Structure formats: structure tokens, C-alpha cells
Amino acid sequence: MAFEDQGSMDFKQHINLSIRAWNIVENDIADFYGTREGHLSNFLNRVFSNFHEDALSSITLTLEKKEENTWVFLTKSPNLNRKML
């Protein structure tokens, strides 16, 4: 689920990062924009937009994996009542 899919750009999210994580983000912004004065929100939105489907924390990816794991469990478990399937 991408942020732009929500229908409004007025939604904001507060992000708590460690000092080390903020330093990494600041360095990446400097690399991306050529200056540390880049726009944090634009940078983070670009990252989220480009990688949300692949992120381990992606809701869509997590649900797909859970569904796949559940199906594998249900079809391979010899002790389950087959009428449940």
C-alpha cells in the first residue's frame, strides 16, 4: 500500500530514529541532493515510494507471506481434518 494510494497528501507521519539513523539519512540526502539542505520529506517519500513493495515491513508483502505460510501449513499437516480445506 503506497502512501499516495491514500487519496490525500495531507497525512503526515512522525518518525523516531536514533542519532545514528538520522546521520545516515542526512548523509543519503547530501548524496542525493548534493547538499545537506535537501528536503527530508521529499527524500523519504521517494524512498518509501520506490521500495514499499520490497520492504520487510511492507503490509502487503507481510500479508502475502502469512497467507502463503498458512496455506503450506494447512496443506502439508497430516493431522488436520481435510474438511477444513
Side-chain angles (χ1 to χ4, degrees), residues 41-78:
S41 61
N42 290 345
F43 175 76
L44 293 177
N45 286 335
R46 170 78 55 99
V47 171
F48 293 142
S49 178
N50 288 341
F51 297 103
H52 76 275
E53 291 180 1
D54 300 322
L56 295 177
S57 61
S58 166
I59 293 170
T60 305
L61 184 63
T62 302
L63 289 174
E64 287 173 1
K65 284 183 180 180
K66 278 192 167 284
E67 184 177 309
E68 180 181 324
N69 290 340
T70 301
W71 180 250
V72 168
F73 172 76
L74 289 174
T75 57
K76 292 189 177 186
S77 179

Side-chain angles (χ1 to χ4, degrees), residues 3-45:
F3 289 104
E4 60 266 15
D5 293 342
Q6 298 303 308
S8 173
M9 299 307 280
D10 295 335
F11 293 109
K12 297 188 185 249
Q13 180 67 46
H14 181 76
I15 300 174
N16 291 319
L17 297 176
S18 67
I19 293 172
R20 182 173 181 210
W22 274 116
N23 287 335
I24 291 169
V25 169
E26 287 177 349
N27 288 334
D28 288 347
I29 288 173
D31 291 341
F32 188 76
Y33 291 108
T35 176
R36 286 190 179 269
E37 302 301 318
H39 301 281
L40 176 64
S41 61
N42 290 345
F43 175 76
L44 293 177
N45 286 335

